[in-house]
Amino acid sequence: MKTYTKQKLTFAQFLEECPEEGLYELVDGEIVEVRATRNHDDIADLILFSFNDEIKRLNLNYVVKNTAVLKTITVNGIEQGRKPDVSVIDKDVWRSNRSSYSALEKPIQLAIEVTSTNWEDDYIDKLDEYQQLGITEYWIVDYLAIGSREYLGNSKVPTVFVFLLDAEGKYQRTYFRGSEIIVSRTFPELALTAEQILTA
């Protein structure tokens, strides 16, 4: 009996073979389609538009994208291709090679993941990968309260988690619920509450 194994794709192969229509990530060497509900998209859009307003208002040197793909590496050394729901990127980095695909290999300023049924990816895998890449600020928007009790507690309340890199390169977590205003290192004057985001 012969056993055939499918060869795992590299990040470069992923960029070449990834379909143009739809949204995809490279996970464990395979192209995986990423689908979102309208509710999920509404939350991501609210955040994206709010960030864009802040960038314009304060004339910040950032761009906000929902299509950027990041090259990350797992703790086991496997290349991944991640597409955050919202990415805040230094404008000079984004425009450094405008003819290339939107894949980035250097850390961006802020990545946001809005949870869905594969919540473990956001809370475990992407958390580790984004920390290792050196993304300064990472948000998990758990509007469904489907994450583990380790994060959400026994009440399992919808929550926005903000992870900030400390001096040792480790994420420190803060959470926001209800009428609490989100505290962001990237956008210190942002006036969004957790409730506004979670109920978009």
Side-chain angles (χ1 to χ4, degrees):
M1 178 174 171
K2 290 184 180 179
T3 304
Y4 296 95
T5 57
K6 187 175 177 182
Q7 183 174 351
K8 304 281 187 181
L9 297 175
T10 66
F11 185 73
Q13 291 168 324
F14 163 68
L15 292 178
E16 288 176 22
E17 296 181 25
C18 187
E20 301 239 349
E21 296 297 318
L23 302 173
Y24 298 88
E25 289 187 345
L26 175 68
V27 181
D28 295 326
E30 296 181 6
I31 296 174
V32 176
E33 185 174 13
V34 179
R35 292 185 173 185
T37 64
R38 288 183 217 157
N39 193 14
H40 179 283
D41 283 346
D42 287 345
I43 290 169
D45 286 348
L46 172 86
I47 296 167
L48 185 143
F49 297 141
S50 297
F51 286 175
N52 209 32
D53 289 346
E54 281 294 281
I55 289 168
K56 286 179 183 175
R57 185 177 74 82
L58 298 171
N59 196 28
L60 300 173
N61 196 46
Y62 295 129
V63 294
V64 184
K65 300 292 177 184
N66 62 2
T67 56
V69 175
L70 309 178
K71 178 182 177 181
T72 63
I73 308 289
T74 67
V75 290
N76 298 325
I78 298 170
E79 293 180 338
Q80 307 277 64
R82 299 297 192 176
K83 190 205 76 57
D85 293 304
V86 179
S87 297
V88 178
I89 307 159
D90 181 285
K91 188 185 287 185
D92 297 331
V93 170
W94 180 257
R95 292 187 171 179
S96 64
N97 187 358
R98 295 180 95 175
S99 63
S100 75
Y101 292 102
S102 62
L104 300 167
E105 297 187 27
K106 294 184 178 179
I108 63 174
Q109 179 64 31
L110 192 157
I112 294 180
E113 298 290 351
V114 179
T115 58
S116 50
T117 52
N118 64 337
W119 62 268
E120 293 98 338
D121 282 353
D122 301 329
Y123 279 99
I124 300 167
D125 299 333
K126 292 178 185 178
L127 181 71
D128 287 342
E129 292 166 31
Y130 293 169
Q131 178 179 272
Q132 184 172 321
L133 183 59
I135 295 175
T136 305
E137 188 170 347
Y138 171 46
W139 295 16
I140 298 175
V141 179
D142 194 343
Y143 73 102
L144 296 170
I146 59 174
S148 74
R149 294 193 192 288
E150 173 189 344
Y151 285 91
L152 295 170
N154 289 329
S155 58
K156 299 272 274 189
V157 175
T159 305
V160 176
F161 293 96
V162 175
F163 297 83
L164 298 173
L165 277 184
D166 65 15
E168 284 78 45
K170 300 293 183 192
Y171 278 137
Q172 300 302 315
R173 177 182 73 197
T174 308
Y175 67 86
F176 303 91
R177 295 176 173 152
S179 62
E180 295 174 330
I181 294 176
I182 306 297
V183 178
S184 168
R185 184 182 294 165
T186 305
F187 299 105
E189 296 181 26
L190 188 68
L192 270 181
T193 67
E195 185 174 36
Q196 286 173 303
I197 292 171
L198 297 163
T199 61

